[in-house]
Amino acid sequence: QVQLVESGGGLVQAGGSLRFSCTVSGLTFGDFTMGWFRQAPGKERRAVSCIRGSGDSTYYADSVKGRFTISRDNAKNTLYLQMNSLKPEDTALYYCAANSNCYTGSVVYWGQGTQVTVSS
């Protein structure tokens, strides 16, 4: 079956950086758009960033543009999210998503989620 295993969350001070990884098994990784979504307390889950299978096209939510960078290594079946200049409003549960669409919010496969807490 399809598995998405995330790592890299944690507690960081405002202005700091974190890097997520998501390793995928059970599907042909390079065939699918991958994404990161997040859910803050009391809010809906929203798209953060997506990247097409070939890596040639990306999407970023306005709130993270210029601070977050999504990338992928298809040889390693791994998705990354580099998060810089973190703000307290970035605090959320972050999910890796496979076969995802950041424009519609459609996702077929979800990771287990990893918590990010940004202190002010």
Side-chain angles (χ1 to χ4, degrees), residues 4-119:
L4 289 71
V5 179
E6 304 161 5
S7 62
L11 173 65
V12 65
Q13 289 189 331
S17 298
L18 284 174
R19 188 185 193 219
F20 285 148
S21 297
C22 174
T23 301
V24 182
S25 60
L27 54 74
T28 306
F29 183 74
D31 285 351
F32 295 100
T33 295
M34 296 293 300
W36 295 96
F37 289 68
R38 69 185 181 186
Q39 186 168 19
K43 297 189 177 180
E44 294 182 352
R45 193 178 305 188
R46 293 186 180 275
V48 175
S49 183
C50 286
I51 184 168
R52 292 188 64 174
S54 60
D56 62 348
S57 180
T58 57
Y59 163 95
Y60 293 96
D62 288 343
S63 58
V64 307
K65 281 180 182 176
R67 300 188 298 121
F68 290 12
T69 302
I70 193 170
S71 61
R72 63 192 297 159
D73 185 336
N74 287 348
K76 296 182 178 180
N77 284 8
T78 302
L79 176 73
Y80 304 98
L81 185 69
Q82 177 68 42
M83 303 185 293
N84 298 328
S85 302
L86 282 160
K87 304 175 181 180
E89 51 264 44
D90 294 317
T91 295
L93 193 58
Y94 284 73
Y95 295 89
C96 176
N99 196 1
S100 61
N101 187 319
C102 277
Y103 295 96
T104 65
S106 171
V107 174
V108 177
Y109 303 105
W110 292 103
Q112 79 278 10
T114 186
Q115 179 67 40
V116 170
T117 302
V118 184
S119 63

